[in-house]
Amino acid sequence: PSFHVTVAIATHDWCLATVFSESVREVLKGVDEFRMALPIGPCEEYEKSGTRRSGGSGDDNVGSSDGDGVGVGVGVGGRAFLEEQMERAFALLRERVTGASLEQRLRWKYSVHNARADVCRRAVVEDYAAANPRPSKKRKMLATNECADEADDDDDDEESANADASSEPPQSQPQSQPHTEDDEADSIVVGPKAASKVRLETLVRASTPSERESVAMEEGKLRGLTVREETHGALMSILAGIKNHPGRSFVVGSDLRGLAKNDEGDDGGLDFVCDFTLLSFARCCVELGALAMVCDS
């Protein structure tokens, strides 16, 4: 089995332009002064119709005024008002909109998105679990014990019949240890079952021809790896390095990186190879039979 993760990020929602503009809008809308209509209209007649804002003194009047006391927002007076408002707005934004506040807002957007998506994910998981019930470990143990008890009863009946048929005491024979599925699984070093047990601390080695041939491929499916272009050179050099040392074992998380160097000293994009990439690569190789897991690891 292979493990694929797709990360979808709505860059427009998480970009600085969106987060910053939302913060600016929230701050400015919290001030009544910045929610009032601007005293600048679509035409000169509108602006001369008496548009005037006063804060209690004549100095706060918007624009210039004529002899009748009518506020005029056109020309220099309107621009001066806008510049004054912008200065006050910028001062408020410098105080309220900071790097810390933007980070907090972005993390809040992440949490809201994840909480909304988690509801859909849980519904899918619960529906699948309901349609595909799996017996618990306790139920498996009870079923195994019941089978063992039935087998013991059958053995007792057979021994009683043999004792009645012959007066000679039965010859004692050494009992062989039962072969369990766990023992069989431990002996498997290639294929999907072995790949599921590979960890970063697992030892892997080059597989033998018989081990490689033991991995049955699905009909029509080609045997091969699909890797990203950025990591192709490094991963292929790692695989070649393992095969060049058939008698050695390598720890997935610590030894494989050292095999990425080629004769020219180029690491083939090793900077793009993380621990998860190494683990996925090793599991795919074991699944396909290119590498074998060392049972003692």
Side-chain angles (χ1 to χ4, degrees):
S2 59
F3 180 64
H4 301 271
V5 176
T6 301
V7 180
I9 299 178
T11 54
H12 175 72
D13 290 340
W14 317 130
C15 69
L16 178 63
T18 299
V19 178
F20 185 77
S21 61
E22 290 177 350
S23 299
V24 170
R25 179 188 294 268
E26 181 178 334
V27 170
L28 295 184
K29 279 197 170 185
V31 181
D32 294 341
E33 178 183 3
F34 298 131
R35 297 178 60 185
M36 298 176 65
L38 291 172
I40 300 176
C43 57
E44 184 176 350
E45 288 75 9
Y46 175 86
E47 294 172 348
K48 289 183 178 180
S49 63
T51 305
R52 186 183 181 95
R53 187 179 304 169
S54 174
S57 64
D59 295 338
D60 292 334
N61 292 342
V62 177
S64 59
S65 58
D66 54 17
D68 298 331
V70 178
V72 180
V74 71
V76 179
R79 288 194 295 270
F81 169 76
L82 287 178
E83 291 176 357
E84 180 184 354
Q85 290 286 86
M86 290 174 60
E87 288 298 329
R88 286 206 288 265
F90 285 145
L92 182 62
L93 293 176
R94 291 189 186 97
E95 177 183 351
R96 302 278 186 86
V97 182
T98 61
S101 66
L102 292 179
E103 179 185 5
Q104 183 178 4
R105 184 178 188 86
L106 184 58
R107 294 188 182 279
W108 173 80
K109 290 170 67 72
Y110 286 151
S111 64
V112 171
H113 172 81
N114 291 334
R116 183 172 61 250
D118 186 63
V119 176
C120 300
R121 296 192 189 102
R122 287 184 179 273
V124 173
V125 173
E126 292 174 357
D127 291 343
Y128 179 83
N132 301 273
R134 299 180 61 183
S136 63
K137 183 179 295 185
K138 183 177 181 180
R139 292 179 60 185
K140 287 183 178 179
M141 293 177 62
L142 291 175
T144 303
N145 293 335
E146 290 176 359
C147 294
D149 293 340
E150 293 178 359
D152 291 339
D153 294 339
D154 293 340
D155 292 340
D156 293 339
D157 295 340
E158 184 178 354
E159 289 178 1
S160 299
N162 292 335
D164 294 338
S166 175
S167 60
E168 296 181 359
Q171 299 292 331
S172 61
Q173 297 180 355
Q175 296 181 355
S176 60
Q177 295 293 332
H179 185 72
T180 64
E181 293 184 359
D182 292 338
D183 295 335
E184 182 180 355
D186 292 339
S187 63
I188 298 176
V189 294
V190 293
K193 288 186 178 180
S196 65
K197 297 183 178 182
V198 175
R199 303 291 187 269
L200 287 175
E201 61 273 12
T202 301
L203 286 170
V204 294
R205 57 174 175 81
S207 61
T208 63
S210 60
E211 290 171 342
R212 177 180 172 85
E213 294 300 326
S214 68
V215 179
M217 303 298 296
E218 297 180 5
E219 184 178 357
K221 185 176 181 180
L222 300 177
R223 187 190 300 269
L225 293 173
T226 302
V227 298
R228 292 168 48 199
E229 182 178 358
E230 297 86 351
T231 61
H232 176 271
L235 296 180
M236 292 303 101
S237 62
I238 290 175
L239 182 59
I242 296 176
K243 290 186 175 182
N244 289 336
H245 300 83
R248 289 183 55 186
S249 300
F250 302 88
V251 180
V252 174
S254 58
D255 296 340
L256 297 190
R257 292 181 180 276
L259 300 175
K261 297 286 185 180
N262 55 26
D263 297 336
E264 289 76 18
D266 183 15
D267 59 10
L270 188 61
D271 293 340
F272 296 98
V273 178
C274 61
D275 288 343
F276 185 74
T277 301
L278 288 176
L279 178 60
S280 302
F281 168 72
R283 286 188 172 184
C284 289
C285 289
V286 171
E287 178 185 355
L288 297 174
L291 299 180
M293 184 180 68
V294 179
C295 295
D296 295 337
S297 62

